[in-house]
Amino acid sequence: MNEIKCAVAMNQIGYPINGQKTAVFNEKSSGFHIEEEGTKRIVYRGKTSQPAFDRSSGSEVRKGGFSELAKPGTYVLVDDEGNRSTPFALEERPYGELHNGLLKAFYYLRCGETLDEKYAGEWGHKSCHTKLGVVHGEEGVYLDGNGGWHDAGDYGKYVVAGAKAVADLLLAYEMYPKAFVNSIPLPESDQVMPDVLHECKVELDFLFKMQDKRSGGVYHKLTTRHFPGLSIMPEDDLDELVFSPISAAATASYAAIMAFASRIYRTYDLSYADQCLRSAEYAWEWILKHPEAGGFKNPADITTGEYGDGCLFDEKYWAAAELYHTTNQEKYHSAFREYSTESFPKCELGWADVGGYGTISYLRKGKTEENQTLYDSLQEELISEAERLLSICENDGYGISLEEKDYMWGSNMVLMNRAMLLLIAMEWSPKPEYVKAAAQHLHYLLGQNTLHLSYVTGFGTHSVMKPHHRPSVGDDVDAPVPGMVAGGPNRNLNDEIMERTLQGKPAAASYIDHEDSYAGNEITIYWNSPALFVVSYFNQK
Protein backbone atom coordinates (compact mmCIF):
# COMPACT_ATOMS: atom_id res chain seq x y z
CA MET A 1 0.00 0.00 0.00
CA ASN A 2 1.36 3.41 -0.91
CA GLU A 3 1.67 5.83 1.98
CA ILE A 4 -0.97 8.55 1.83
CA LYS A 5 0.71 11.96 2.11
CA CYS A 6 -1.64 13.73 4.48
CA ALA A 7 -1.07 15.12 7.96
CA VAL A 8 -4.75 15.61 8.83
CA ALA A 9 -6.88 12.56 9.63
CA MET A 10 -10.60 13.06 9.15
CA ASN A 11 -13.80 11.20 8.40
CA GLN A 12 -13.63 11.33 4.61
CA ILE A 13 -17.40 11.10 4.20
CA GLY A 14 -18.32 13.88 6.60
CA TYR A 15 -20.00 14.78 9.85
CA PRO A 16 -23.59 15.39 10.99
CA ILE A 17 -24.28 19.10 11.33
CA ASN A 18 -25.26 18.77 14.98
CA GLY A 19 -22.73 16.08 15.87
CA GLN A 20 -19.27 16.16 17.36
CA LYS A 21 -16.65 17.11 14.77
CA THR A 22 -12.95 16.49 15.27
CA ALA A 23 -9.76 16.11 13.29
CA VAL A 24 -6.51 14.47 14.36
CA PHE A 25 -3.15 16.01 13.42
CA ASN A 26 0.19 14.24 13.37
CA GLU A 27 2.37 17.26 12.61
CA LYS A 28 3.53 20.18 14.75
CA SER A 29 0.55 22.28 13.80
CA SER A 30 -0.99 24.35 16.61
CA GLY A 31 -3.91 25.75 14.62
CA PHE A 32 -6.08 25.24 11.59
CA HIS A 33 -8.78 26.78 9.47
CA ILE A 34 -11.64 25.33 7.45
CA GLU A 35 -12.50 26.62 4.02
CA GLU A 36 -15.32 25.97 1.58
CA GLU A 37 -14.31 23.63 -1.18
CA GLY A 38 -14.24 25.51 -4.45
CA THR A 39 -14.42 29.09 -3.17
CA LYS A 40 -11.72 28.52 -0.52
CA ARG A 41 -13.55 31.02 1.67
CA ILE A 42 -12.49 30.54 5.29
CA VAL A 43 -15.47 29.73 7.51
CA TYR A 44 -13.81 28.56 10.72
CA ARG A 45 -10.56 28.90 12.66
CA GLY A 46 -9.47 26.70 15.53
CA LYS A 47 -6.59 25.60 17.74
CA THR A 48 -5.20 22.13 18.24
CA SER A 49 -4.55 20.47 21.58
CA GLN A 50 -1.13 19.91 23.05
CA PRO A 51 0.60 16.87 21.54
CA ALA A 52 0.11 13.52 23.22
CA PHE A 53 1.78 10.22 22.44
CA ASP A 54 -0.61 7.61 21.04
CA ARG A 55 0.76 4.13 21.78
CA SER A 56 -1.28 2.28 19.17
CA SER A 57 -0.12 4.44 16.26
CA GLY A 58 3.34 5.04 17.71
CA SER A 59 3.13 8.77 17.08
CA GLU A 60 2.36 12.07 18.73
CA VAL A 61 -1.02 13.45 17.80
CA ARG A 62 -2.98 16.63 18.35
CA LYS A 63 -6.75 17.03 18.21
CA GLY A 64 -8.81 19.87 16.88
CA GLY A 65 -12.54 20.34 17.26
CA PHE A 66 -14.93 22.30 15.06
CA SER A 67 -18.34 21.30 16.34
CA GLU A 68 -19.52 24.94 16.22
CA LEU A 69 -19.41 24.88 12.41
CA ALA A 70 -22.95 23.86 11.46
CA LYS A 71 -23.55 25.17 7.95
CA PRO A 72 -24.23 22.46 5.36
CA GLY A 73 -21.62 22.22 2.67
CA THR A 74 -18.37 20.61 1.52
CA TYR A 75 -15.19 21.75 3.16
CA VAL A 76 -11.43 21.25 3.42
CA LEU A 77 -9.44 21.63 6.63
CA VAL A 78 -6.02 23.29 6.37
CA ASP A 79 -3.55 23.29 9.25
CA ASP A 80 -1.10 26.14 9.86
CA GLU A 81 1.67 24.08 8.27
CA GLY A 82 -0.29 24.15 5.01
CA ASN A 83 -1.41 20.50 5.12
CA ARG A 84 -4.83 19.99 3.55
CA SER A 85 -7.39 17.35 4.46
CA THR A 86 -9.50 15.40 2.04
CA PRO A 87 -12.83 17.12 1.28
CA PHE A 88 -15.62 16.32 3.73
CA ALA A 89 -19.33 17.13 3.94
CA LEU A 90 -21.42 18.65 6.70
CA GLU A 91 -25.01 17.48 6.34
CA GLU A 92 -27.94 16.65 8.55
CA ARG A 93 -27.51 12.96 7.64
CA PRO A 94 -24.23 12.52 5.73
CA TYR A 95 -24.25 8.71 5.85
CA GLY A 96 -27.28 7.88 3.68
CA GLU A 97 -25.26 6.56 0.74
CA LEU A 98 -22.87 4.78 3.09
CA HIS A 99 -25.79 3.12 4.86
CA ASN A 100 -27.18 1.88 1.55
CA GLY A 101 -23.71 0.74 0.49
CA LEU A 102 -23.06 -1.29 3.63
CA LEU A 103 -26.42 -3.03 3.23
CA LYS A 104 -26.05 -3.47 -0.54
CA ALA A 105 -22.79 -5.35 0.12
CA PHE A 106 -24.87 -8.27 1.39
CA TYR A 107 -26.64 -8.39 -1.98
CA TYR A 108 -23.27 -8.60 -3.72
CA LEU A 109 -22.42 -11.56 -1.47
CA ARG A 110 -25.52 -13.54 -2.41
CA CYS A 111 -24.93 -17.13 -3.46
CA GLY A 112 -26.93 -19.20 -5.92
CA GLU A 113 -28.46 -16.45 -8.01
CA THR A 114 -27.48 -14.31 -10.95
CA LEU A 115 -26.55 -10.76 -9.98
CA ASP A 116 -27.64 -8.85 -13.05
CA GLU A 117 -26.61 -5.40 -14.18
CA LYS A 118 -29.86 -3.75 -13.07
CA TYR A 119 -28.96 -4.25 -9.41
CA ALA A 120 -25.27 -5.19 -9.43
CA GLY A 121 -24.00 -2.74 -12.02
CA GLU A 122 -20.55 -3.72 -13.28
CA TRP A 123 -20.04 -6.14 -10.36
CA GLY A 124 -22.58 -8.73 -11.47
CA HIS A 125 -21.92 -12.42 -12.03
CA LYS A 126 -23.72 -15.60 -13.03
CA SER A 127 -25.45 -17.93 -10.57
CA CYS A 128 -23.13 -20.11 -8.55
CA HIS A 129 -22.96 -23.12 -6.20
CA THR A 130 -26.38 -24.42 -7.25
CA LYS A 131 -25.57 -28.14 -7.15
CA LEU A 132 -26.64 -30.38 -4.26
CA GLY A 133 -24.12 -30.84 -1.48
CA VAL A 134 -23.09 -34.12 0.08
CA VAL A 135 -23.52 -34.64 3.82
CA HIS A 136 -20.09 -35.37 5.28
CA GLY A 137 -19.87 -38.91 6.58
CA GLU A 138 -23.13 -39.99 4.90
CA GLU A 139 -22.22 -41.38 1.52
CA GLY A 140 -24.93 -40.87 -1.05
CA VAL A 141 -26.90 -38.33 1.02
CA TYR A 142 -27.24 -35.05 -0.89
CA LEU A 143 -29.11 -31.90 0.14
CA ASP A 144 -30.05 -28.55 -1.35
CA GLY A 145 -27.91 -25.77 0.09
CA ASN A 146 -28.69 -23.08 -2.46
CA GLY A 147 -28.94 -19.44 -1.39
CA GLY A 148 -27.66 -17.28 1.44
CA TRP A 149 -24.54 -15.13 1.53
CA HIS A 150 -20.95 -15.98 0.81
CA ASP A 151 -19.30 -15.49 4.16
CA ALA A 152 -16.22 -13.52 3.24
CA GLY A 153 -13.49 -13.38 0.62
CA ASP A 154 -14.18 -17.05 0.03
CA TYR A 155 -17.42 -18.79 -0.96
CA GLY A 156 -18.12 -20.76 2.20
CA LYS A 157 -21.39 -20.39 4.10
CA TYR A 158 -21.12 -20.72 7.87
CA VAL A 159 -24.03 -20.83 10.32
CA VAL A 160 -22.38 -19.12 13.30
CA ALA A 161 -21.13 -16.29 11.09
CA GLY A 162 -24.50 -15.88 9.42
CA ALA A 163 -26.30 -15.79 12.76
CA LYS A 164 -24.08 -12.96 14.07
CA ALA A 165 -24.53 -10.93 10.88
CA VAL A 166 -28.31 -11.34 10.78
CA ALA A 167 -28.54 -10.50 14.50
CA ASP A 168 -26.76 -7.19 13.92
CA LEU A 169 -29.04 -6.30 11.03
CA LEU A 170 -32.23 -7.26 12.86
CA LEU A 171 -31.12 -5.30 15.94
CA ALA A 172 -30.39 -2.28 13.76
CA TYR A 173 -33.87 -2.47 12.28
CA GLU A 174 -35.55 -3.15 15.62
CA MET A 175 -33.83 -0.23 17.38
CA TYR A 176 -33.55 2.28 14.52
CA PRO A 177 -36.36 1.53 12.03
CA LYS A 178 -36.36 5.11 10.72
CA ALA A 179 -32.91 4.48 9.24
CA PHE A 180 -34.42 2.00 6.78
CA VAL A 181 -37.26 3.96 5.17
CA ASN A 182 -35.50 4.29 1.80
CA SER A 183 -35.18 1.44 -0.69
CA ILE A 184 -31.72 0.35 -1.87
CA PRO A 185 -33.34 -1.10 -4.13
CA LEU A 186 -33.16 -4.91 -4.25
CA PRO A 187 -34.91 -7.33 -6.62
CA GLU A 188 -37.39 -8.03 -3.80
CA SER A 189 -38.10 -4.38 -2.92
CA ASP A 190 -41.84 -3.92 -2.58
CA GLN A 191 -42.29 -0.70 -0.55
CA VAL A 192 -43.99 -2.81 2.14
CA MET A 193 -41.28 -4.70 3.99
CA PRO A 194 -38.00 -2.80 4.48
CA ASP A 195 -35.12 -3.90 2.28
CA VAL A 196 -33.03 -4.91 5.29
CA LEU A 197 -35.63 -7.58 6.12
CA HIS A 198 -35.72 -8.77 2.52
CA GLU A 199 -31.95 -9.13 2.63
CA CYS A 200 -31.93 -10.94 5.97
CA LYS A 201 -34.57 -13.31 4.62
CA VAL A 202 -32.10 -14.38 1.92
CA GLU A 203 -29.79 -15.68 4.64
CA LEU A 204 -32.56 -17.04 6.86
CA ASP A 205 -34.00 -19.04 3.96
CA PHE A 206 -30.58 -20.60 3.48
CA LEU A 207 -30.21 -21.31 7.19
CA PHE A 208 -33.45 -23.32 7.11
CA LYS A 209 -31.66 -25.68 4.73
CA MET A 210 -28.84 -26.19 7.22
CA GLN A 211 -31.14 -27.81 9.77
CA ASP A 212 -31.19 -31.62 9.71
CA LYS A 213 -34.87 -32.44 9.39
CA ARG A 214 -34.36 -35.78 11.13
CA SER A 215 -32.91 -34.45 14.39
CA GLY A 216 -33.21 -30.66 14.56
CA GLY A 217 -29.43 -30.28 14.72
CA VAL A 218 -27.76 -27.80 12.37
CA TYR A 219 -24.88 -28.52 10.01
CA HIS A 220 -21.93 -26.33 10.88
CA LYS A 221 -21.15 -25.07 7.37
CA LEU A 222 -21.51 -25.65 3.64
CA THR A 223 -18.25 -25.30 1.69
CA THR A 224 -16.07 -27.03 -0.81
CA ARG A 225 -13.35 -29.15 0.78
CA HIS A 226 -10.66 -26.54 0.07
CA PHE A 227 -10.65 -22.84 -0.81
CA PRO A 228 -10.61 -22.05 -4.55
CA GLY A 229 -7.89 -19.85 -6.06
CA LEU A 230 -8.08 -16.13 -5.34
CA SER A 231 -9.04 -15.19 -8.91
CA ILE A 232 -11.82 -17.79 -9.25
CA MET A 233 -15.23 -16.20 -9.81
CA PRO A 234 -18.21 -17.71 -7.95
CA GLU A 235 -19.72 -19.40 -11.00
CA ASP A 236 -16.37 -21.04 -11.76
CA ASP A 237 -16.01 -22.64 -8.34
CA LEU A 238 -17.27 -26.08 -9.33
CA ASP A 239 -15.80 -28.39 -6.68
CA GLU A 240 -18.18 -30.59 -4.71
CA LEU A 241 -20.10 -28.89 -1.89
CA VAL A 242 -20.00 -30.55 1.52
CA PHE A 243 -22.29 -30.13 4.51
CA SER A 244 -19.93 -30.37 7.50
CA PRO A 245 -21.21 -32.28 10.55
CA ILE A 246 -23.80 -30.89 12.97
CA SER A 247 -22.33 -28.79 15.78
CA ALA A 248 -23.69 -27.47 19.06
CA ALA A 249 -22.42 -23.96 18.26
CA ALA A 250 -24.28 -23.87 14.95
CA THR A 251 -27.44 -25.37 16.43
CA ALA A 252 -27.62 -22.95 19.37
CA SER A 253 -26.83 -19.92 17.21
CA TYR A 254 -29.48 -21.10 14.77
CA ALA A 255 -32.07 -21.44 17.54
CA ALA A 256 -31.24 -17.93 18.73
CA ILE A 257 -31.45 -16.17 15.39
CA MET A 258 -34.60 -17.99 14.29
CA ALA A 259 -36.36 -17.08 17.54
CA PHE A 260 -35.27 -13.46 17.08
CA ALA A 261 -36.41 -13.46 13.45
CA SER A 262 -39.79 -14.82 14.47
CA ARG A 263 -40.49 -11.64 16.45
CA ILE A 264 -39.33 -9.30 13.70
CA TYR A 265 -41.13 -10.93 10.77
CA ARG A 266 -44.41 -11.47 12.62
CA THR A 267 -45.55 -7.98 11.57
CA TYR A 268 -45.07 -8.78 7.88
CA ASP A 269 -45.53 -12.53 7.42
CA LEU A 270 -47.22 -14.54 10.16
CA SER A 271 -46.62 -17.89 8.45
CA TYR A 272 -42.91 -17.18 8.03
CA ALA A 273 -42.62 -16.07 11.65
CA ASP A 274 -44.21 -19.32 12.78
CA GLN A 275 -41.81 -21.31 10.61
CA CYS A 276 -38.87 -19.52 12.22
CA LEU A 277 -40.12 -20.27 15.71
CA ARG A 278 -40.87 -23.94 15.02
CA SER A 279 -37.38 -24.49 13.65
CA ALA A 280 -35.84 -22.63 16.60
CA GLU A 281 -37.69 -24.85 19.08
CA TYR A 282 -36.68 -27.97 17.15
CA ALA A 283 -33.03 -26.89 17.34
CA TRP A 284 -33.44 -26.29 21.09
CA GLU A 285 -34.66 -29.86 21.48
CA TRP A 286 -31.43 -31.08 19.88
CA ILE A 287 -29.41 -28.96 22.34
CA LEU A 288 -31.21 -30.54 25.29
CA LYS A 289 -30.66 -34.03 23.92
CA HIS A 290 -26.94 -33.46 23.33
CA PRO A 291 -25.57 -31.68 26.43
CA GLU A 292 -22.18 -33.32 25.89
CA ALA A 293 -21.69 -31.95 22.36
CA GLY A 294 -18.43 -30.03 22.15
CA GLY A 295 -16.90 -27.49 19.81
CA PHE A 296 -16.56 -28.04 16.08
CA LYS A 297 -13.37 -29.31 14.43
CA ASN A 298 -12.83 -29.57 10.70
CA PRO A 299 -12.97 -33.12 9.35
CA ALA A 300 -9.56 -34.27 8.12
CA ASP A 301 -10.46 -33.75 4.45
CA ILE A 302 -11.78 -30.18 4.84
CA THR A 303 -9.53 -27.11 5.15
CA THR A 304 -12.00 -24.24 4.77
CA GLY A 305 -12.77 -21.88 7.67
CA GLU A 306 -13.33 -23.83 10.86
CA TYR A 307 -15.15 -21.35 13.11
CA GLY A 308 -14.25 -23.47 16.10
CA ASP A 309 -15.38 -22.48 19.58
CA GLY A 310 -14.15 -23.72 22.94
CA CYS A 311 -17.07 -22.39 24.98
CA LEU A 312 -20.71 -23.14 24.13
CA PHE A 313 -22.45 -21.71 27.20
CA ASP A 314 -22.77 -18.30 25.51
CA GLU A 315 -24.53 -19.72 22.42
CA LYS A 316 -26.98 -21.61 24.63
CA TYR A 317 -27.46 -18.50 26.80
CA TRP A 318 -28.29 -16.50 23.67
CA ALA A 319 -30.69 -19.16 22.38
CA ALA A 320 -32.50 -19.37 25.73
CA ALA A 321 -32.79 -15.57 25.89
CA GLU A 322 -34.29 -15.25 22.40
CA LEU A 323 -36.70 -18.16 22.89
CA TYR A 324 -37.83 -16.73 26.21
CA HIS A 325 -38.19 -13.25 24.70
CA THR A 326 -40.30 -14.64 21.86
CA THR A 327 -42.44 -17.21 23.67
CA ASN A 328 -42.45 -16.02 27.30
CA GLN A 329 -42.22 -19.68 28.34
CA GLU A 330 -40.74 -20.44 31.75
CA LYS A 331 -38.68 -23.39 30.49
CA TYR A 332 -36.55 -21.01 28.43
CA HIS A 333 -36.34 -18.49 31.26
CA SER A 334 -35.17 -21.22 33.59
CA ALA A 335 -32.50 -22.31 31.09
CA PHE A 336 -31.36 -18.70 30.66
CA ARG A 337 -30.98 -18.29 34.41
CA GLU A 338 -29.00 -21.51 34.58
CA TYR A 339 -26.61 -20.54 31.79
CA SER A 340 -26.19 -17.03 33.23
CA THR A 341 -24.34 -18.56 36.20
CA GLU A 342 -21.59 -19.88 33.92
CA SER A 343 -18.39 -17.92 33.36
CA PHE A 344 -18.22 -16.35 29.91
CA PRO A 345 -18.31 -12.75 28.59
CA LYS A 346 -21.87 -11.44 28.91
CA CYS A 347 -21.33 -8.35 26.73
CA GLU A 348 -19.35 -9.56 23.72
CA LEU A 349 -20.84 -9.35 20.22
CA GLY A 350 -18.52 -11.53 18.14
CA TRP A 351 -19.24 -14.69 16.16
CA ALA A 352 -17.61 -16.89 18.82
CA ASP A 353 -18.41 -14.87 21.95
CA VAL A 354 -22.13 -14.14 21.50
CA GLY A 355 -23.12 -13.58 25.13
CA GLY A 356 -23.88 -9.92 24.49
CA TYR A 357 -26.77 -10.83 22.21
CA GLY A 358 -28.34 -12.91 24.98
CA THR A 359 -27.90 -10.11 27.49
CA ILE A 360 -29.36 -7.50 25.14
CA SER A 361 -32.36 -9.66 24.28
CA TYR A 362 -33.08 -10.35 27.95
CA LEU A 363 -32.80 -6.70 28.93
CA ARG A 364 -34.89 -5.51 26.01
CA LYS A 365 -37.68 -7.89 27.03
CA GLY A 366 -38.02 -5.83 30.20
CA LYS A 367 -37.79 -6.07 33.97
CA THR A 368 -40.41 -7.88 36.02
CA GLU A 369 -40.74 -8.52 39.73
CA GLU A 370 -39.64 -12.09 39.11
CA ASN A 371 -36.43 -11.32 37.23
CA GLN A 372 -35.39 -8.08 38.95
CA THR A 373 -32.18 -9.35 40.53
CA LEU A 374 -30.80 -10.96 37.38
CA TYR A 375 -32.01 -8.09 35.22
CA ASP A 376 -30.29 -5.50 37.42
CA SER A 377 -27.09 -7.53 37.48
CA LEU A 378 -26.93 -7.84 33.69
CA GLN A 379 -27.82 -4.17 33.21
CA GLU A 380 -25.04 -3.19 35.59
CA GLU A 381 -22.59 -5.42 33.73
CA LEU A 382 -23.55 -3.90 30.36
CA ILE A 383 -23.16 -0.34 31.62
CA SER A 384 -19.90 -1.23 33.34
CA GLU A 385 -18.56 -2.53 30.03
CA ALA A 386 -19.65 0.67 28.27
CA GLU A 387 -17.85 2.70 30.93
CA ARG A 388 -14.72 0.59 30.48
CA LEU A 389 -14.78 1.26 26.75
CA LEU A 390 -15.34 4.95 27.36
CA SER A 391 -12.28 5.15 29.59
CA ILE A 392 -10.16 3.57 26.86
CA CYS A 393 -11.49 6.12 24.36
CA GLU A 394 -10.50 8.99 26.63
CA ASN A 395 -6.88 7.82 26.60
CA ASP A 396 -6.60 7.00 22.91
CA GLY A 397 -5.16 9.46 20.41
CA TYR A 398 -8.00 8.82 17.98
CA GLY A 399 -10.75 8.55 20.59
CA ILE A 400 -11.53 4.86 20.05
CA SER A 401 -11.75 1.90 22.42
CA LEU A 402 -9.00 -0.27 20.90
CA GLU A 403 -5.88 -0.90 22.93
CA GLU A 404 -2.72 -2.22 21.30
CA LYS A 405 -3.74 -5.83 21.96
CA ASP A 406 -7.06 -5.28 20.21
CA TYR A 407 -5.46 -4.71 16.80
CA MET A 408 -5.92 -8.34 15.86
CA TRP A 409 -7.38 -10.26 12.94
CA GLY A 410 -10.67 -8.43 12.31
CA SER A 411 -9.84 -5.38 14.44
CA ASN A 412 -12.47 -3.39 12.56
CA MET A 413 -15.10 -5.86 13.78
CA VAL A 414 -13.90 -5.31 17.35
CA LEU A 415 -14.05 -1.56 16.67
CA MET A 416 -17.61 -1.61 15.36
CA ASN A 417 -18.83 -4.17 17.90
CA ARG A 418 -17.70 -1.82 20.66
CA ALA A 419 -19.30 1.20 19.02
CA MET A 420 -22.46 -0.88 18.75
CA LEU A 421 -22.36 -1.74 22.44
CA LEU A 422 -21.86 1.92 23.40
CA LEU A 423 -24.97 2.86 21.43
CA ILE A 424 -27.00 -0.01 22.88
CA ALA A 425 -25.98 1.03 26.41
CA MET A 426 -27.77 4.32 25.75
CA GLU A 427 -31.05 2.45 26.26
CA TRP A 428 -30.28 1.98 29.97
CA SER A 429 -27.80 4.80 30.61
CA PRO A 430 -28.48 7.67 28.18
CA LYS A 431 -25.09 9.40 28.36
CA PRO A 432 -24.19 11.66 25.43
CA GLU A 433 -20.58 10.55 25.89
CA TYR A 434 -21.51 7.10 24.57
CA VAL A 435 -22.80 8.59 21.32
CA LYS A 436 -19.74 10.80 20.95
CA ALA A 437 -17.44 7.84 21.49
CA ALA A 438 -19.38 5.69 19.00
CA ALA A 439 -19.11 8.52 16.47
CA GLN A 440 -15.33 8.55 16.93
CA HIS A 441 -15.26 4.83 16.08
CA LEU A 442 -17.11 5.56 12.85
CA HIS A 443 -14.79 8.48 12.08
CA TYR A 444 -11.84 6.11 12.52
CA LEU A 445 -13.35 3.54 10.14
CA LEU A 446 -13.87 6.23 7.51
CA GLY A 447 -10.39 7.72 7.55
CA GLN A 448 -9.67 9.34 10.91
CA ASN A 449 -6.86 6.90 11.62
CA THR A 450 -3.10 6.86 11.44
CA LEU A 451 -3.16 5.55 7.84
CA HIS A 452 -5.70 8.18 6.66
CA LEU A 453 -7.58 5.37 4.95
CA SER A 454 -11.29 4.60 4.71
CA TYR A 455 -11.68 0.90 5.42
CA VAL A 456 -14.93 0.72 3.43
CA THR A 457 -14.48 -0.05 -0.26
CA GLY A 458 -15.84 2.64 -2.57
CA PHE A 459 -16.41 5.20 0.20
CA GLY A 460 -13.94 8.00 0.87
CA THR A 461 -11.24 9.80 -1.09
CA HIS A 462 -8.64 7.20 -0.03
CA SER A 463 -10.37 3.86 0.51
CA VAL A 464 -9.43 0.18 0.36
CA MET A 465 -8.77 -0.82 -3.24
CA LYS A 466 -7.39 -4.37 -3.06
CA PRO A 467 -9.54 -6.39 -0.63
CA HIS A 468 -9.02 -10.11 -0.18
CA HIS A 469 -12.30 -10.91 -1.92
CA ARG A 470 -12.40 -13.32 -4.83
CA PRO A 471 -14.96 -11.51 -7.03
CA SER A 472 -13.08 -8.22 -6.59
CA VAL A 473 -9.90 -9.98 -7.72
CA GLY A 474 -11.39 -12.20 -10.41
CA ASP A 475 -13.64 -9.79 -12.28
CA ASP A 476 -12.37 -7.35 -14.90
CA VAL A 477 -13.39 -4.25 -12.95
CA ASP A 478 -10.66 -2.01 -11.54
CA ALA A 479 -12.70 -0.86 -8.56
CA PRO A 480 -13.50 -3.40 -5.84
CA VAL A 481 -17.07 -4.39 -5.05
CA PRO A 482 -18.27 -1.36 -3.02
CA GLY A 483 -19.55 -1.11 0.54
CA MET A 484 -17.38 -3.83 2.09
CA VAL A 485 -15.50 -3.38 5.37
CA ALA A 486 -11.92 -4.62 5.42
CA GLY A 487 -10.57 -6.45 8.46
CA GLY A 488 -8.12 -3.71 9.40
CA PRO A 489 -4.76 -3.50 11.21
CA ASN A 490 -3.49 -6.73 12.72
CA ARG A 491 -0.41 -6.49 14.93
CA ASN A 492 -0.03 -10.29 14.85
CA LEU A 493 0.79 -10.21 11.11
CA ASN A 494 -1.03 -13.50 10.47
CA ASP A 495 -0.44 -13.78 6.74
CA GLU A 496 2.66 -13.99 4.58
CA ILE A 497 2.53 -10.54 3.01
CA MET A 498 1.92 -8.82 6.35
CA GLU A 499 4.80 -10.72 7.89
CA ARG A 500 7.06 -9.80 4.99
CA THR A 501 6.22 -6.09 4.73
CA LEU A 502 4.99 -4.84 8.12
CA GLN A 503 7.64 -5.93 10.61
CA GLY A 504 8.19 -3.27 13.28
CA LYS A 505 5.06 -1.28 12.46
CA PRO A 506 2.95 0.04 15.36
CA ALA A 507 -0.27 -1.86 16.03
CA ALA A 508 -2.62 0.61 14.31
CA ALA A 509 -0.35 0.79 11.25
CA SER A 510 -0.01 -2.99 10.82
CA TYR A 511 -2.05 -3.10 7.64
CA ILE A 512 -1.42 -3.40 3.92
CA ASP A 513 -4.02 -2.84 1.20
CA HIS A 514 -3.18 -5.99 -0.76
CA GLU A 515 -5.37 -8.77 -2.11
CA ASP A 516 -3.11 -11.45 -0.59
CA SER A 517 -3.55 -10.11 2.94
CA TYR A 518 -6.30 -12.39 4.17
CA ALA A 519 -5.50 -11.56 7.82
CA GLY A 520 -5.87 -7.81 7.35
CA ASN A 521 -7.72 -7.07 4.14
CA GLU A 522 -10.41 -9.74 3.86
CA ILE A 523 -14.07 -8.75 4.01
CA THR A 524 -16.82 -10.61 5.86
CA ILE A 525 -20.55 -10.36 6.48
CA TYR A 526 -19.96 -9.95 10.22
CA TRP A 527 -17.57 -7.01 9.77
CA ASN A 528 -20.15 -5.23 7.64
CA SER A 529 -23.04 -5.97 9.99
CA PRO A 530 -21.90 -4.05 13.12
CA ALA A 531 -20.79 -1.18 10.88
CA LEU A 532 -24.30 -1.07 9.42
CA PHE A 533 -25.76 -1.04 12.94
CA VAL A 534 -23.63 1.95 13.95
CA VAL A 535 -24.35 3.90 10.77
CA SER A 536 -28.05 3.15 11.25
CA TYR A 537 -28.03 5.09 14.51
CA PHE A 538 -26.65 8.15 12.73
CA ASN A 539 -28.92 7.71 9.69
CA GLN A 540 -32.28 7.90 11.47
CA LYS A 541 -34.84 10.27 9.98
Side-chain angles (χ1 to χ4, degrees), residues 23-334:
V24 179
F25 305 79
N26 60 7
E27 295 288 334
K28 297 178 180 180
S29 174
S30 60
F32 65 93
H33 70 262
I34 295 175
E35 58 187 39
E36 292 179 333
E37 187 186 33
T39 69
K40 295 188 177 181
R41 184 172 71 89
I42 295 175
V43 296
Y44 187 86
R45 293 185 183 275
K47 295 291 185 182
T48 63
S49 65
Q50 290 298 309
F53 183 71
D54 177 57
R55 290 183 59 85
S56 295
S57 65
S59 60
E60 287 196 342
V61 299
R62 298 170 181 254
K63 297 178 182 178
F66 54 100
S67 295
E68 298 87 350
L69 180 59
K71 180 183 177 183
T74 303
Y75 301 94
V76 174
L77 185 150
V78 186
D79 71 13
D80 59 13
E81 300 288 314
N83 299 297
R84 301 177 67 83
S85 76
T86 57
F88 62 93
L90 294 187
E91 299 176 11
E92 185 176 353
R93 286 183 297 275
Y95 307 129
E97 290 185 13
L98 173 66
H99 190 259
N100 268 12
L102 290 168
L103 182 53
K104 182 67 173 285
F106 291 90
Y107 168 77
Y108 287 119
L109 289 165
R110 288 188 188 186
C111 180
E113 66 179 87
T114 297
L115 306 188
D116 64 37
E117 185 177 358
K118 180 178 180 181
Y119 296 101
E122 57 189 334
W123 296 285
H125 61 74
K126 298 175 184 176
S127 64
C128 58
H129 306 104
T130 56
K131 293 182 180 178
L132 298 179
V134 64
V135 177
H136 193 275
E138 298 189 43
E139 187 176 349
V141 179
Y142 288 84
L143 299 174
D144 171 26
N146 194 27
W149 301 321
H150 296 144
D151 173 66
D154 62 278
Y155 300 131
K157 295 184 287 191
Y158 308 84
V159 171
V160 294
K164 186 265 194 287
V166 174
D168 292 342
L169 269 56
L170 294 185
L171 268 173
Y173 170 71
E174 184 177 52
M175 295 182 69
Y176 316 125
K178 292 182 179 179
F180 296 94
V181 295
N182 292 335
S183 177
I184 294 180
L186 299 171
E188 299 83 3
S189 298
D190 58 8
Q191 308 305 316
V192 177
M193 190 165 76
D195 280 352
V196 64
L197 299 188
H198 285 298
E199 194 57 62
C200 286
K201 191 173 181 295
V202 169
E203 180 70 2
L204 291 166
D205 287 347
F206 160 72
L207 290 176
F208 281 135
K209 299 178 180 182
M210 296 298 287
Q211 186 173 41
D212 175 28
K213 303 305 181 286
R214 301 164 296 183
S215 69
V218 177
Y219 298 110
H220 193 75
K221 61 179 180 175
L222 177 61
T223 69
T224 51
R225 285 182 170 81
H226 310 289
F227 290 128
L230 189 56
S231 63
I232 300 297
M233 288 295 288
E235 60 267 35
D236 298 322
D237 181 27
L238 301 177
D239 287 352
E240 185 176 46
L241 297 169
V242 183
F243 286 84
S244 283
I246 290 169
S247 76
T251 305
S253 295
Y254 177 96
I257 198 59
M258 285 299 175
F260 187 2
S262 178
R263 296 197 305 274
I264 298 297
Y265 285 88
R266 192 157 296 277
T267 301
Y268 297 98
D269 188 336
L270 183 60
S271 176
Y272 191 76
D274 287 343
Q275 181 186 1
C276 289
L277 182 55
R278 284 193 303 271
S279 67
E281 292 181 316
Y282 194 25
W284 181 258
E285 291 174 14
W286 186 95
I287 294 167
L288 296 181
K289 292 176 182 176
H290 299 83
E292 78 295 339
F296 176 82
K297 295 292 183 183
N298 265 338
D301 59 335
I302 294 179
T303 59
T304 51
E306 186 168 77
Y307 287 93
D309 192 346
C311 175
L312 300 175
F313 290 125
D314 52 326
E315 282 83 6
K316 296 175 182 179
Y317 170 86
W318 180 24
E322 298 291 5
L323 281 161
Y324 171 57
H325 193 158
T326 301
T327 69
N328 206 37
Q329 291 185 30
E330 177 55 32
K331 63 180 180 180
Y332 299 123
H333 195 192
S334 177

